[in-house]
């Protein structure tokens, strides 16, 4: 883990008339990185004062760590894509400045669940960019073969278990359910039950010092995994955070149900069409006996480095606002499945008849817009989030291997709380 330090070095302004803005992002695939490059090319051609230079810098974690190190050396990029759970670490690093310190920005057009996540201490520090949440994907053809109605996908853990019983009886040569083993889903299921993952209102009323993994909500989640595994209904690749591998299980028709991000709607839809089966999308199933509370935003936002010239900071913000304007966010959504983050973009998509043409997207939007604002759905702020997510994943993995739920939760909480304490020791 990086040793955090406040960074305040200001780079020397560029001598040339044109200001160069480096933009580091974490999209290595041709589709998304190509879209970003195209927007940069458009922006660069529209004016002569600023030249934006996007570049792929590895995973979210790799890119954030590289940015903090570059900032220490006085070589920070002006604009950086930072994943949502990296927000506290980005804030604590001192490497970034709030976008509102560059110039006033009107945040009124942003979808509330999105802007709520990135509002920390009453201040919006970054511009929302790629935002997502988890949904249930299902193979309509296999559901029909098992005597299930694709128009009524399961919405609860119990409903999913009942569907799995029918799928098992139908002998489809496919598992009932698969998903990537990722801590993000645990955070989502805590929020759906109205339970903050962390104390101090999910780290938003004070630095988080402990997890709530000893709660009934956490036990419901771990018990769900154990039940699915014990009955032979669950499948995954055996690796942690294997998004692509888990998607492949579903698109290869080795699982009837699959939970993953809304950002994968486009890719999964295309893969299902190629494989010759109909795919449906439903809301994220939740624990029985709980009221649906809503989802936490995933994805990333755009941060502006502190250690750059005023011209670079202003250029970075100007490009970020261009890239995330109404039209561009609508196009981004169509290409990727990420939420378009702006209310005006949703209205534009509705006028274009997009949701009539692509009903899969409507389920995701309704799930997001019906989210109840609060500490649980605002998402947890935790500078050790990279570690605590992995610790939670390892805890579930132990349950899948046969460990008792209570024992696994106790061990997981102890380890996660220790990671929080170690991180927080930097700020005493």
């Amino acid at each position: 883990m990086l040793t955090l330090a406040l960074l305040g070095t200001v780079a020397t302004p560029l001598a040339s008339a044109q200001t160069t803005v480096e933009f580091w992002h974490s999209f290595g695939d041709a589709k998304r990185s190509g879209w970003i490059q195209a927007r940069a090319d458009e922006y660069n051609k529209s004016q002569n004062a600023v030249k934006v230079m996007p570049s792929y810098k590895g995973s979210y974690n790799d890119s954030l760590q590289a940015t903090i190190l570059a900032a220490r050396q006085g070589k920070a990029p002006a604009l950086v894509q930072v994943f949502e759970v990296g927000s506290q670490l980005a804030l604590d690093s001192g490497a970034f400045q709030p976008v509102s310190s560059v110039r006033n920005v009107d945040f009124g057009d942003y979808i509330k669940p999105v802007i709520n996540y990135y509002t920390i201490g009453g201040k919006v520090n970054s511009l929302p960019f790629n935002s997502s949440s988890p949904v249930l994907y299902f193979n309509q053809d296999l559901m029909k073969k098992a005597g299930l109605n694709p128009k009524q996908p399961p919405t609860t853990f119990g409903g999913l278990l009942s569907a799995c019983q029918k799928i098992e009886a139908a002998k489809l040569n496919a598992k009932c359910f698969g998903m990537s083993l990722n801590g993000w889903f645990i955070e989502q299921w805590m929020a759906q039950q109205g339970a903050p993952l962390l104390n101090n209102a999910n780290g938003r009323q004070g630095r988080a010092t402990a997890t709530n993994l000893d709660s009934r909500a956490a036990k419901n989640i771990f018990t769900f995994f154990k039940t699915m595994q014990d009955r032979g209904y669950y499948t995954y690749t055996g690796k942690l955070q294997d998004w692509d591998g888990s998607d492949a299980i579903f698109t290869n028709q080795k699982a009837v149900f699959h939970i993953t991000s809304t950002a994968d709607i486009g890719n999964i839809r295309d893969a299902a069409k190629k494989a010759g089966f109909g795919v449906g999308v439903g809301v994220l199933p939740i624990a029985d006996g709980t009221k649906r509370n809503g989802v936490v935003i995933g994805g990333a936002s755009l941060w502006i480095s502190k250690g750059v010239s005023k011209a670079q900071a202003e250029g970075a913000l100007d490009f970020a606002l261009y890239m995330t304007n109404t039209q561009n966010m609508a196009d981004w959504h169509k290409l990727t499945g990420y939420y378009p983050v702006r209310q005006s973009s949703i209205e534009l998509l509705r006028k274009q008849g997009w949701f009539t043409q692509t009903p899969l997207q409507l389920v995701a939007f309704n799930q997001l817009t019906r989210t109840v604002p609060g500490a649980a759905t605002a998402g947890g702020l935790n500078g050790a989030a990279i570690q605590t997510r992995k610790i939670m994943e390892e805890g579930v993995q132990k349950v899948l291997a046969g460990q008792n739920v209570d024992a696994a939760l106790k061990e997981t909480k102890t380890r996660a709380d220790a990671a929080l304490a170690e991180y927080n020791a930097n700020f005493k």
Side-chain angles (χ1 to χ4, degrees):
M1 180 168 53
L2 289 170
T3 301
L4 299 170
L6 289 176
L7 299 158
T9 306
V10 177
T12 304
L14 297 178
S16 64
Q18 190 176 55
T19 298
T20 299
V21 170
E22 282 191 86
F23 172 29
W24 288 4
H25 64 82
S26 295
F27 288 136
D29 60 292
K31 183 164 69 174
R32 293 179 294 186
S33 64
W35 186 91
I36 289 172
Q37 185 62 56
R39 300 294 78 72
D41 291 344
E42 289 170 359
Y43 180 80
N44 292 341
K45 289 177 183 177
S46 72
Q47 44 74 52
N48 297 317
V50 177
K51 182 178 181 180
V52 177
M53 299 176 63
S55 57
Y56 169 66
K57 283 294 176 179
S59 70
Y60 284 138
N61 185 31
D62 292 342
S63 178
L64 178 55
Q65 303 250 10
T67 300
I68 294 173
L69 290 174
R72 286 181 180 170
Q73 298 163 359
K75 300 176 181 178
L79 189 64
V80 186
Q81 180 193 24
V82 177
F83 63 149
E84 89 284 13
V85 291
S87 296
Q88 185 69 59
L89 178 57
L91 196 63
D92 290 339
S93 73
F96 302 96
Q97 56 184 309
V99 291
S100 56
S101 72
V102 180
R103 81 163 190 254
N104 288 334
V105 176
D106 181 5
F107 296 107
D109 191 31
Y110 290 94
I111 305 170
K112 283 188 178 180
V114 175
I115 206 67
N116 284 351
Y117 189 99
Y118 296 111
T119 302
I120 304 172
K123 185 181 293 183
V124 181
N125 291 275
S126 55
L127 277 183
F129 173 35
N130 56 301
S131 294
S132 60
S133 63
V135 288
L136 178 73
Y137 294 80
F138 50 90
N139 185 315
Q140 294 177 326
D141 299 30
L142 292 180
M143 280 187 74
K144 290 175 184 176
K145 287 181 180 179
L148 296 166
N149 184 357
K151 293 182 179 180
Q152 296 178 320
T155 60
T156 63
F157 290 170
L160 187 55
L161 284 167
S162 296
C164 287
Q165 291 173 350
K166 290 189 175 182
I167 289 165
E168 181 181 40
K171 301 186 185 304
L172 299 175
N173 192 31
K175 289 281 189 177
C176 174
F177 170 66
M179 65 183 292
S180 166
L181 196 52
N182 194 299
W184 184 55
F185 298 116
I186 297 172
E187 296 163 18
Q188 297 290 341
W189 273 319
M190 291 288 285
Q192 281 284 18
Q193 298 174 78
L197 176 66
L198 308 167
N199 68 353
N200 294 331
N202 241 347
R204 291 179 178 271
Q205 291 180 0
R207 198 171 286 278
T209 59
T211 64
N212 292 324
L213 292 171
D214 53 353
S215 64
R216 179 74 236 178
K219 187 169 183 177
N220 287 339
I221 299 164
F222 275 53
T223 300
F224 167 70
F225 276 105
K226 180 169 179 57
T227 303
M228 297 296 281
Q229 178 75 353
D230 288 352
R231 296 188 184 181
Y233 297 155
Y234 175 66
T235 182
Y236 78 120
T237 63
K239 301 175 184 178
L240 301 180
Q241 302 184 15
D242 190 2
W243 300 93
D244 293 342
S246 297
D247 286 351
I249 290 173
F250 178 69
T251 56
N252 289 329
Q253 303 196 71
K254 295 300 180 184
V256 179
F257 296 105
H258 176 52
I259 291 174
T260 193
S261 170
T262 52
D264 290 324
I265 286 179
N267 290 337
I268 288 178
R269 180 192 59 221
D270 294 345
K273 185 177 180 181
K274 188 176 180 180
F277 71 91
V279 64
V281 171
V283 295
L284 178 70
I286 61 173
D288 295 89
T290 60
K291 183 180 178 182
R292 187 172 292 277
N293 196 54
V295 290
V296 179
I297 278 297
S301 62
L302 304 172
W303 290 66
I304 297 174
S305 293
K306 183 186 291 183
V308 296
S309 69
K310 182 179 179 182
Q312 286 174 311
E314 290 176 346
L317 178 56
D318 194 56
F319 170 70
L321 288 168
Y322 169 76
M323 187 173 71
T324 61
N325 69 23
T326 298
Q327 181 66 58
N328 284 337
M329 282 292 90
D331 292 343
W332 172 249
H333 165 72
K334 289 179 180 179
L335 178 75
T336 65
Y338 279 113
Y339 294 121
V341 308
R342 287 183 178 272
Q343 193 61 45
S344 59
S345 301
I346 296 175
E347 291 167 5
L348 175 61
L349 289 164
R350 284 199 177 113
K351 287 179 183 177
Q352 294 172 345
W354 173 251
F355 297 118
T356 303
Q357 301 165 30
T358 56
L360 298 183
Q361 301 282 5
L362 192 57
V363 173
F365 268 101
N366 288 340
Q367 178 178 253
L368 177 70
T369 56
R370 291 168 185 167
T371 290
V372 180
T377 56
L381 289 178
N382 163 16
I386 296 166
Q387 294 98 306
T388 56
R389 268 191 177 176
K390 187 177 180 183
I391 289 167
M392 290 190 295
E393 293 157 8
E394 291 170 345
V396 172
Q397 204 165 40
K398 288 178 180 178
V399 167
L400 297 176
Q403 188 174 20
N404 174 275
V405 167
D406 288 336
L409 276 171
K410 184 178 180 180
E411 180 184 346
T412 302
K413 176 176 169 56
T414 298
R415 291 181 63 207
D417 289 359
L420 280 171
E422 182 181 357
Y423 179 86
N424 290 341
N426 291 290
F427 304 96
K428 289 183 178 179

